[in-house]
Amino acid sequence: MDDNKILADLIFPNITKTIEDLEKEYPKRNLPEGAMVTRFAPSPTGFLHSGSLYTTLLNWRLAKQSGGIFYIRLEDTDQKREVEGSGKELLDQLKNFGIEPDEGYLGDHEEGNYGPYIQSKRSEIYDVVIKHLIEIGRAYPCFCTAEDVEDTRRKQERNKFRPGYYGRFATCRKVSIEEAIERIKNGESYVLRFKSMGNEENKISVVDEIKGKLELTENDLDIVIRKSDGLPTYHLAHACDDHFMHTTHVIRGEEWLPSLPIHVELFNTLGFELPKYAHVASVNKIDQENGTKRKLSKRKDKEAAVSYFLEQGYPKSGFLEYLLTLINSNYEAWRDVNPDADKYDFTVTFEKMGVDGPLFDVLKIDNICKDRLSRLNKNQISELALAWANEYDTEFASLINRDYEYFTKIMNIEREIEKPRKDYTRFSDIKNSIMFFYDDLYEDMLKNTPVLPFNENISKEDTILVLKTFLERNKMDEGESEWFNNLKEIGSSLGFATNNKEYKANKEAYKGHIGDVAQILRIALTTKTQTPNLFNILEILGKDKYEYRINNMINIISK
Ligand code: GLU
């Protein structure tokens, strides 16, 4: 028997399958021309990063819009870094954002014909491939310890050689097969390395879907493909998984670009067709301390965690919308022309992706969310606010549930009109701005506002007069503009100008203007100077409540 084969059988006595068997087990997918198969391949090492959601959204949209498949593979081969339960959490969060994979690891179970989708369950597949590499003389056991490798690296540094396990520095390449067999039989610990045939002097040319044509240095590293714990490294797993799962487009973070020559050599050696690659630039931010651009950091930036936006009550649709503006430079122009279209009617392309990492801009997220929230109808915003409150602010949830109908009315103020009011950025903004609608909370606000913000230039007596006359003469039944005209008349009869211009032209002649009249009422009814539309407030409170509040306010001021 061939020596390589003896070695392969010694290392993998139980592996009887061949690559051909695997090809049969995982046949080509039956998809229409142009359908893309993409994936999100998270490692279960923590929370869902905003940058990962960005890349995932891109992967998902490309698959969906081409009639393809988007699947999830859990890359859990680095068991030291694993955070218990985080795989499921990642999936729950994606689902929360409406990103539903077609197949793969789904958090509590797996679906699809190309599994297992959890790498730690795919050992047999990796071993079949690695065994094949040993048989053809393209993989070998390496007995170097971590210290040996570190020693070599230091020597290389000292003598100005490029660091790494390659060429003449690949010590265990020189170990004969007989010796290797002997050492394995003696129980020595080892890893398996790929035997590269590349040359550092050569260039390879690869087309990246985002970055275009790239000239890269050919790989000559004998990288580790199987660790001493029997698990594969990223490189080997990537080749096996994306091949047998028939990924058409590997869309991943650009930190993987330097490894691309390794992957090209692995795919070629195995006779696997190379997928298309797209390396996505990382999302950046401007560092608050030194003003420079840097990667959004898991450690330093609260906004790096998607959960931050959820807790804060940013609408998911607004956040996704923002990510789409980062993905494609033409998204905003499209949105301007199609303000009410479903955001996923937009076609995502690689061409419109930036080569440089986009800047993550929380102010812009705010603006987009404000706009999207203002476009929801009263039922949509009420339902979403309640769902958010149920999870993050139970006090607010019980306030909503006191009288859901009443809450919906409040949410309907200046909504479903041509220019809806943009008062909320996040669901967490709502509670404080609508508290005054609830009598007990209004009373608390009164108690907590020892000095009400009435205009000091208007006397106490005039303020009281405005309130009293309003009670006598308010007219609501003919609609808002009649109501306002009547309010102007009330003001005018008490010495207030009916508009600001009139007032400004002759300040001495007036006590103030119609805005001041409205402001007196606003403060009396809400304790605040900034509120939604006054007419709507009066309507929603109803006659009994607003009369009670105004009478009460007259008493307070009179004291
Ligand atoms: N598990 C890898 C990571 O977390 C996946 C990279 C890829 O998409 O291939 O970065």
Side-chain angles (χ1 to χ4, degrees):
M1 207 188 332
D2 164 329
D3 283 352
N4 286 325
K5 184 105 185 49
I6 297 171
L7 178 64
D9 282 340
L10 174 69
I11 298 177
F12 297 109
N14 301 322
I15 296 293
T16 51
K17 273 189 195 168
T18 63
I19 290 190
E20 266 162 39
D21 295 330
L22 292 178
E23 299 287 9
K24 284 195 202 111
E25 229 171 285
Y26 302 108
K28 235 180 136 92
R29 291 168 184 271
N30 192 5
L31 290 171
E33 181 78 22
M36 291 168 70
V37 179
T38 63
R39 81 299 191 274
F40 174 41
S43 302
T45 53
F47 57 77
L48 182 61
H49 192 285
S50 300
S52 305
L53 183 61
Y54 163 76
T55 316
T56 304
L57 180 62
L58 171 67
N59 270 288
W60 178 59
R61 287 321 303 151
L62 287 168
K64 291 285 90 184
Q65 68 192 28
S66 64
I69 298 284
F70 169 71
Y71 72 88
I72 309 267
R73 180 170 71 229
L74 195 67
E75 307 216 320
D76 62 342
T77 56
D78 192 349
Q79 305 207 311
K80 285 196 287 297
R81 288 177 53 225
E82 185 155 344
V83 176
E84 178 89 21
S86 63
K88 165 134 183 25
E89 211 170 291
L90 285 172
L91 263 288
D92 287 346
Q93 282 189 332
L94 287 187
K95 207 165 166 194
N96 225 319
F97 279 95
I99 299 181
E100 304 252 8
D102 300 296
E103 64 180 52
Y105 166 77
L106 301 182
D108 40 21
H109 69 292
E110 295 186 34
E111 253 169 53
N113 298 328
Y114 293 85
Y117 295 90
I118 301 179
Q119 286 186 330
S120 58
K121 293 191 184 161
R122 296 175 62 78
S123 286
E124 189 191 20
I125 297 171
Y126 304 128
D127 288 350
V128 168
V129 172
I130 297 170
K131 185 171 188 183
H132 168 78
L133 285 173
I134 298 176
E135 283 170 354
I136 63 168
R138 294 299 300 276
Y140 63 90
C142 166
F143 303 93
C144 293
T145 60
E147 293 80 59
D148 294 336
V149 174
E150 179 52 25
D151 244 25
T152 310
R153 198 195 56 77
R154 256 191 254 115
K155 265 186 218 140
Q156 287 170 323
E157 205 170 59
R158 225 178 298 125
N159 298 307
K160 309 231 171 340
F161 284 110
R162 181 168 50 97
Y165 207 90
Y166 61 91
R168 65 189 175 94
F169 299 106
T171 326
C172 288
R173 245 189 200 224
K174 289 163 249 165
V175 173
S176 69
I177 294 188
E178 298 75 49
E179 184 187 336
I181 291 173
E182 197 56 35
R183 289 169 78 170
I184 290 171
K185 282 188 177 158
N186 287 339
E188 215 174 303
S189 157
Y190 61 94
V191 298
L192 293 173
R193 284 186 186 271
F194 176 59
K195 187 189 274 180
S196 171
M197 293 299 186
N199 182 339
E200 201 224 345
E201 314 264 292
N202 297 342
K203 293 280 175 212
I204 57 165
S205 148
V206 207
V207 176
D208 182 277
E209 298 295 305
I210 299 168
K211 297 179 189 290
K213 194 170 170 196
L214 302 172
E215 295 282 314
L216 304 171
T217 303
E218 192 171 71
N219 175 60
D220 67 347
L221 295 173
D222 283 1
I223 51 128
V224 175
I225 51 179
R226 189 179 194 263
K227 299 176 285 183
S228 53
D229 61 6
L231 289 169
T233 54
Y234 171 81
H235 309 300
L236 191 275
H238 156 51
C240 293
D241 296 345
D242 284 313
H243 174 70
F244 290 115
M245 293 180 183
H246 299 278
T247 310
T248 60
H249 291 71
V250 171
I251 305 165
R252 61 184 178 188
E254 70 180 349
E255 65 275 19
W256 293 108
L257 188 59
S259 318
L260 186 53
I262 298 174
H263 304 151
V264 170
E265 192 183 1
L266 271 173
F267 273 85
N268 288 343
T269 307
L270 289 164
F272 294 167
E273 189 188 336
L274 200 65
K276 290 199 160 64
Y277 284 95
H279 290 91
V280 181
S282 325
V283 175
N284 294 306
K285 75 170 272 173
I286 301 288
D287 193 293
Q288 300 265 285
E289 271 160 36
N290 56 23
T292 56
K293 198 167 152 181
R294 63 162 172 80
K295 242 170 114 162
L296 196 61
S297 143
K298 231 174 168 172
R299 233 168 359 93
K300 292 190 203 153
D301 307 313
K302 56 184 184 325
E303 69 269 34
V306 163
S307 57
Y308 165 77
F309 293 95
L310 294 176
E311 278 157 28
Q312 291 287 307
Y314 281 89
K316 288 162 215 159
S317 62
F319 191 58
L320 290 166
E321 179 106 12
Y322 172 68
L323 294 179
L324 286 170
T325 69
L326 295 189
I327 288 176
N328 272 181
S329 53
N330 56 333
Y331 181 80
E332 279 179 276
W334 174 85
R335 181 46 104 193
D336 285 345
V337 183
N338 303 283
D340 297 313
D342 186 315
K343 57 183 168 306
Y344 297 139
D345 286 348
F346 174 80
T347 306
V348 166
T349 59
F350 286 124
E351 291 76 51
K352 295 288 180 189
M353 285 202 76
V355 173
D356 294 327
L359 263 189
F360 204 70
D361 177 353
V362 177
L363 264 182
K364 190 156 171 194
I365 301 179
D366 284 355
N367 285 334
I368 291 179
C369 288
K370 224 179 226 172
D371 182 66
R372 297 330 289 176
L373 279 186
S374 77
R375 288 170 191 276
L376 300 178
N377 68 34
K378 64 170 191 231
N379 293 323
Q380 290 167 325
I381 189 154
S382 303
E383 275 165 32
L384 290 172
L386 179 58
W388 176 81
N390 276 332
E391 192 155 351
Y392 298 101
D393 184 352
T394 48
E395 209 178 278
F396 182 32
S398 49
L399 188 66
I400 299 173
N401 283 326
R402 277 193 200 174
D403 184 346
Y404 188 71
E405 205 49 44
Y406 186 64
F407 177 69
T408 328
K409 274 193 202 149
I410 301 171
M411 287 293 97
N412 198 33
I413 298 178
E414 287 178 83
R415 192 168 285 283
E416 295 183 57
I417 50 177
E418 200 187 331
K419 279 213 164 102
R421 192 182 162 95
K422 297 188 182 181
D423 27 16
Y424 310 121
T425 302
R426 308 163 296 180
F427 298 116
S428 55
D429 298 336
I430 300 176
K431 185 170 74 181
N432 279 342
S433 64
I434 66 160
M435 274 194 327
F436 66 82
F437 277 105
Y438 297 87
D439 288 336
D440 52 332
L441 302 183
Y442 167 76
E443 295 295 337
D444 289 346
M445 289 164 77
L446 271 183
K447 262 185 238 141
N448 298 328
T449 319
V451 182
L452 288 156
F454 287 114
N455 184 344
E456 287 173 357
N457 296 325
I458 297 169
S459 71
K460 218 162 121 168
E461 290 67 31
D462 284 332
T463 305
I464 293 175
L465 204 56
V466 166
L467 294 173
K468 280 192 171 158
T469 318
F470 176 82
L471 286 180
E472 283 160 16
R473 291 173 45 187
N474 183 38
K475 263 205 335 238
M476 307 271 303
D477 38 8
E478 284 164 50
E480 184 169 359
S481 70
E482 283 309 306
W483 167 81
F484 193 57
N485 284 335
N486 183 50
L487 192 67
K488 282 186 193 166
E489 277 171 31
I490 296 176
S492 170
S493 74
L494 299 176
F496 290 83
T498 51
N499 64 57
N500 202 8
K501 213 165 132 199
E502 209 175 281
Y503 170 68
K504 276 200 174 144
N506 194 2
K507 285 189 181 171
E508 270 65 58
Y510 298 105
K511 291 178 181 165
H513 57 83
I514 179 67
D516 296 316
V517 175
Q519 197 65 330
I520 291 174
L521 286 167
R522 189 186 308 280
I523 297 168
L525 296 169
T526 71
T527 79
K528 293 156 59 140
T529 54
Q530 301 242 339
T531 71
N533 176 300
L534 191 54
F535 179 75
N536 295 135
I537 294 177
L538 289 162
E539 266 186 334
I540 294 174
L541 287 174
K543 198 162 191 272
D544 289 351
K545 266 191 196 159
Y546 74 68
E547 288 194 345
Y548 177 83
R549 288 189 187 188
I550 291 174
N551 275 315
N552 184 40
M553 188 56 74
I554 294 172
N555 285 336
I556 295 176
I557 304 173
S558 309
K559 265 184 214 155

